[in-house]
Amino acid sequence: MTQKGNIGVTTENIFPVIKKFLYSDHEIFLREMVSNAVDATQKLKTLSERGEFKGEMGDLTVRVSLDAEKGTLTISDRGIGMTEEEIDKYINQIAFSGVTDFLDKYKDNANAIIGHFGLGFYSSFMVSKKVEIVTRSWKDGSKAVKWSCDGSPEFEISDAEKEDRGTDIILHIDDDCKEFLEKGRIQTLLDKYCKFLPVPVAFGKKTEWKDGKQVDTDEDNIINDMEPLWTKTPSTISDEQYKEFYRKLYPMQDEPLFWIHLNVDYPFNLTGILYFPKIKSNIDLQRNKIQLYCNQVFVTDQVEGIVPEFLTLLHGVIDSPDIPLNVSRSYLQSDRDVKKISTYITKKVADRLNGIFKDDRKDFEKKWDDLKLFINYGMLSQPDFYDRAKDFTLLKDVDGKYFTTEEYKTLIKDAQTDKDGTLIYLYATDKDEQYSYIEAAKAKGYSVLLLDGQLDTPCVNMFEQKWEKSRFTRVDSDIVERLIVKEDLKKTDLTQEQTDILSATFRTQLPHLDHIEFNVETGALGENAQPVVITQNEYMRRMKDISKFQSGMNFYAQMPDAYSIVLNTDHRLVKAVLEKSEKECEEELKPVVAEIKGLQARFAALGEARKAKKPEEVTQEEKDDMTATEKKLSDERTKKEQIVAAHAKDNKVVHQLIDLALLQNGMLKGEALDSFIKRSVEII
């Protein structure tokens, strides 16, 4: 008996729909074919358990085989098989007739048709020029049937020879898809998509080394683990088994810190194991490590829509038949249940971390540096996670001691509360580069945190918003006397003229560094403090750091780095520099200073006269006079600075003090560093 048919649709109608709505990646076909074979086998097991099938089950292995000469790839099972009527129902009517109507019908409940033979069958035509089905139903009296089609609207059904129940799908691979006739390629795809299927899947035979070459044995090459670890009861699994499973999933990764075994059956079904890898930096490189399965069939490792963004840093497996996927199982559908799953996983992760913290704090502290990035990311991106994590979030000081946020607040409350009642959290980002600033803070009795993580800067902003009357200040952002102001600072005894000369002496000798600006200021820091200190404004530096993470802040990223050069007017070396500059420049500066004072007085008088008039009453002559006076004043100030600079350029102490401050901040390099070394030798 041979039956031919024509559904009445064109090939052009079929394939665009397949490509647009179902399958964007050709390799998915193998997952669908093997999954269908496994589904058919599972259904036979169910019939047997119900007593409806009373025959011998026998070998239920699904077999995948290649014939490169014939150009075929065959997937065979000993499941329920199909009758001719079922072929017509699942293949002819679903696979070709009214494809678009079919998709429209199930668009709101695509999950309901996952696993239907006809749906998986669509993918076969993506790689095949011809597909054949040879099948025999498990039902008594059933005959074997062969169905074949070349992707056109025409198909053929005929009687076939097949002694056993089950189905063989024979794919005649298309000329432009020959890669799927390569053993290595098929092995890779089976390992990717099918390695945890619940029915044994064989691909060829195991091999052994014999007579100088690899030869096939009689033993099937079973490519899958039918009972993966996440399907077992947690109490029956040892730590070593968890670690071994991790090594199987991620062969080249370091040992995980710990793991969470997920197992819930209400209000949704979900199992899985999530591992905490050692994460220290570079968030993006860690993504796409969680594998999503649906009834042990691999779906995707793009799980951003299923778990919160920060949890994508974890590794492991999630398996749920309740996650709503589209018909190709490749893309997540929007669904309120997904939010429930996401919330559940977040809670389990937080509970696990809190449990470890409470049960073994010392062990938690040892793991903190590897966990911090993950926890920071979670608190920044997930408000409900912050609420859960705040009690086990740790702060580490520069001496390596760990504190909860409440413990640390209590520790620094007395010493680090400023005159306005604000609690100041001092921190460093590099213990070596900021060593002298750290030591200066310690000498004042302050504690300094070490915040050297990738997300510490945005976390600092978050803490300042959430913690009442608290401010974070980097230890090198100001002189130590001004980091925590408890009373009005001592003012310098210098006159304005002395301040101008001292500032000009140093300012005119500062190097020109790319994308860096210096501002010179004076301060009475005490005789024992450093003579010259370089600081960087906390606000501007932090805004530049945050611009790396937050779009729309490129303005800050483009701005030059701004540093302050603070001259300690109490230090003997700075006093000596000022005395020398005053003495050497005195005669040259007298007429210039006198001229400046006269011009300042005239400019002030012109300004007062102008204030008494309405804008329209000010004459052009008055405007020109004021502009000319302002220009003369600027010229005289420039002349004054040039006089000071001419004497300062040969002052080795000035250059030595500047270079020492630059060296302390890692800003002295190349030729400047070489000059500093030579000058140091000369001075010695």
Side-chain angles (χ1 to χ4, degrees), residues 461-670:
N461 278 12
M462 175 185 66
F463 292 148
E464 287 178 335
Q465 292 172 15
K466 291 182 177 292
W467 299 350
E468 185 179 356
K469 295 202 76 172
S470 298
R471 186 172 75 248
F472 281 73
T473 300
R474 205 166 88 173
V475 73
D476 61 346
S477 65
D478 209 334
I479 57 175
V480 69
E481 288 77 12
R482 295 197 303 227
L483 288 174
I484 304 173
V485 180
K486 293 181 175 292
E487 57 187 22
D488 292 335
L489 295 175
K490 172 189 171 185
K491 294 183 179 180
T492 179
D493 295 330
L494 300 185
T495 64
Q496 185 60 51
E497 184 61 31
Q498 288 176 316
T499 299
D500 291 344
I501 292 175
L502 182 61
S503 297
T505 299
F506 281 87
R507 183 174 57 253
T508 58
Q509 304 310 306
L510 288 171
H512 297 286
L513 303 178
D514 290 341
H515 215 61
I516 289 178
E517 290 182 354
F518 292 109
N519 173 59
V520 177
E521 56 182 285
T522 60
L525 311 183
E527 295 178 356
N528 297 321
Q530 293 290 332
V532 179
V533 181
I534 296 179
T535 64
Q536 188 177 20
N537 180 269
E538 173 74 16
Y539 175 79
M540 289 303 299
R541 180 197 50 74
R542 199 188 296 183
M543 290 302 100
K544 287 175 72 69
D545 287 345
I546 292 177
S547 69
K548 301 172 185 176
F549 302 95
Q550 192 167 326
S551 59
M553 296 186 66
N554 289 337
F555 167 75
Y556 289 103
Q558 300 302 319
M559 293 181 67
D561 292 327
Y563 292 89
S564 291
I565 305 285
V566 185
L567 309 177
N568 181 8
T569 58
D570 289 336
H571 197 281
R572 62 179 182 83
L573 291 176
V574 175
K575 288 180 177 180
V577 168
L578 175 59
E579 184 179 346
K580 182 176 172 53
S581 293
E582 284 182 310
K583 184 177 180 180
E584 291 181 349
C585 301
E586 184 178 8
E587 292 304 316
E588 292 179 73
L589 287 179
K590 275 184 180 179
V592 177
V593 171
E595 182 66 17
I596 289 175
K597 288 181 178 179
L599 289 169
Q600 286 176 329
R602 178 168 178 75
F603 189 79
L606 290 172
E608 287 298 320
R610 192 165 178 172
K611 283 182 184 178
K613 297 181 179 182
K614 295 179 180 179
E616 62 271 17
E617 294 175 344
V618 179
T619 66
Q620 186 61 44
E621 183 179 355
E622 289 173 319
K623 293 178 182 178
D624 292 343
D625 191 2
M626 196 164 193
T627 300
T629 302
E630 187 175 27
K631 184 180 184 307
K632 288 178 183 179
L633 185 57
S634 176
D635 291 342
E636 290 301 315
R637 284 171 175 162
T638 300
K639 188 185 298 184
K640 177 183 176 182
E641 191 158 288
Q642 288 172 343
I643 292 171
V644 175
H647 290 277
K649 69 182 178 65
D650 296 323
N651 190 327
K652 291 182 179 179
V653 175
V654 171
H655 290 279
Q656 198 73 357
L657 291 176
I658 290 173
D659 285 352
L660 282 170
L662 293 171
L663 184 66
Q664 184 182 24
N665 286 269
M667 300 165 70
L668 192 66
K669 301 175 182 178

